[in-house]
Amino acid sequence: MDFQPILDDIADRLQRELAQEGPRGQVAQYIPALARVDARRFGIALRCGDGQEAVAGDGAVPFSIQSISKVFTLTLAMRHLPEQQLWARIGREPSGNPFNSLVQLEFEQGTPRNPFINAGAIAVADRIVGLYGADALRELRGFMSHLAGEPIGYDEEVAASEAATGFRNHALANFMKSFGRIDHDVATVLDLYFHQCALRMSCLQLARAAGYLCRDGAHPLRADTPVVTERQARRINALMLTCGTYDAAGEFAFRIGLPCKSGVGGGIVAVVPDRLTLAVWSPALDETGNSLLGMKALEMFTQRTGLSVF
Ligand code: GLU
């Protein structure tokens, strides 16, 4: 299948819609660096398991990947930690609650429902600090660059704003610490968490970096280098499908039918297992925190191509 004309057409239609009707939904407001992003942006890119790539609209423009990073930190932890150690204190069920809920964490004695809500990602960051200590930031950046095939960096302004305004994340981390679920220094763990949210990548870089998820765990650019095992890749996809899109996993499965992970920067990464990875970006979000046009673009893509896990 030649995907370039399909992406061109999707980008063309959605950019025209943005120009004519203006953006619906709202760009994330909680930090200035996100609030000032132009809501009229739209980008899309994909990479097939065989190396074919396509990119359209703002697909090569870097943005703040935010919660999409949770897929990559989970992957990094899965690579290096024994299964029991990683999953002993992190669940695998959809939360059905806001991604930063404290109430649920209290009911469940400080064990986060899954690795993609904030508490779960903070717990994963704790394991990564356990692996790398003071080198954790450098290791994560190196891992992302290794996957994308080019240097990836942090937006330090975003990281600093996340730290300055992330009162709820501070609360979640301290709360888990009070239950004995966080092993390391809370400030060090949160520094990693705030930096992972501040990774800057384009749709094309994200589609490349996530490539192992459509290649049975093999490195996106080098077939002979495993990132994770086939079983682990399958499990990450399962978690994305059930827990990857805040409180809208049912809607995503219904409308799109692919494992997806979204972020409040307006990006969404989607996986067609054994075929391709796809990333979209449009900063205006719906009330569930997912990119409005990103969802629409993914729906158009799956309708046109007939690709789905169902
Ligand atoms: N960085 C924000 C937070 O941790 C949002 C992450 C996201 O859901 O994309 O609260």
Side-chain angles (χ1 to χ4, degrees):
M1 208 181 302
D2 183 5
F3 290 108
Q4 188 60 52
I6 299 175
L7 296 203
D8 282 339
D9 186 52
I10 293 172
D12 195 49
R13 280 178 195 227
L14 294 183
Q15 281 176 324
R16 228 175 317 130
E17 180 179 318
L18 276 170
Q20 283 164 3
E21 296 168 25
R24 286 180 297 135
Q26 233 202 356
V27 171
Q29 298 292 320
Y30 70 96
I31 55 174
L34 290 185
R36 66 170 178 259
V37 176
D38 181 1
R40 286 182 172 71
R41 295 287 205 170
F42 176 82
I44 185 165
L46 65 75
R47 182 178 167 92
C48 300
D50 65 9
Q52 185 198 152
E53 290 185 339
V55 50
D58 296 315
V61 177
F63 61 92
S64 187
I65 74 167
Q66 291 292 327
S67 273
I68 298 172
S69 65
K70 292 170 182 168
V71 172
F72 298 106
T73 50
L74 175 66
T75 302
L76 186 57
M78 283 172 95
R79 266 160 75 86
H80 299 291
L81 286 172
E83 239 174 72
Q84 325 78 278
Q85 202 176 325
L86 174 62
W87 294 110
R89 290 180 279 175
I90 304 172
R92 298 184 291 258
E93 293 296 337
S95 74
N97 266 304
F99 66 104
N100 53 10
S101 170
L102 275 155
V103 175
Q104 189 165 54
L105 200 54
E106 169 135 53
F107 275 131
E108 297 179 354
Q109 281 82 46
T111 298
R113 267 286 169 106
N114 68 63
F116 294 154
I117 53 173
N118 284 14
I122 292 167
V124 170
D126 179 52
R127 310 298 181 274
I128 294 177
V129 168
L131 285 167
Y132 301 115
D135 290 333
L137 283 185
R138 208 181 53 210
E139 287 292 333
L140 176 61
R141 197 181 52 208
F143 179 57
M144 297 308 296
S145 306
H146 166 72
L147 290 177
E150 60 187 301
I152 300 296
Y154 301 112
D155 181 328
E156 290 297 342
E157 183 199 342
V158 172
S161 295
E162 295 280 351
T165 61
F167 303 112
R168 200 166 261 271
N169 289 321
H170 282 100
L172 289 169
N174 281 297
F175 205 40
M176 285 190 285
K177 184 90 176 166
S178 78
F179 281 105
R181 307 280 195 249
I182 292 284
D183 293 331
H184 303 94
D185 172 52
V186 167
T188 310
V189 170
L190 284 175
D191 190 42
L192 175 59
Y193 176 76
F194 292 137
H195 274 85
Q196 73 177 69
C197 290
L199 282 162
R200 271 176 73 74
M201 295 173 76
S202 67
C203 290
L204 186 57
Q205 288 171 327
L206 277 169
R208 285 178 184 160
Y212 60 96
L213 295 173
C214 75
R215 287 160 57 83
D216 295 334
H219 189 280
L221 313 173
R222 284 174 243 142
D224 55 347
T225 313
V227 175
V228 285
T229 65
E230 183 180 345
R231 184 156 172 253
Q232 288 173 320
R234 231 182 272 154
R235 289 177 155 190
I236 297 167
N237 281 326
L239 286 165
M240 288 170 71
L241 186 79
T242 52
C243 315
T245 48
Y246 308 113
D247 216 1
E251 187 68 9
F252 267 77
F254 187 79
R255 282 176 52 190
I256 294 157
L258 296 175
C260 293
K261 183 74 200 83
S262 50
V264 292
I268 308 174
V269 166
V271 183
V272 184
D274 300 322
R275 287 296 294 271
L276 58 89
T277 38
L278 175 66
V280 290
W281 172 52
S282 188
L285 311 175
D286 68 10
E287 61 290 343
T288 67
N290 293 292
S291 168
L292 248 163
L293 284 196
M295 281 182 84
K296 191 163 176 182
L298 290 173
E299 197 175 1
M300 288 165 85
F301 180 81
T302 49
Q303 271 174 12
R304 291 213 191 153
T305 57
L307 294 170
S308 162
V309 295
F310 297 109

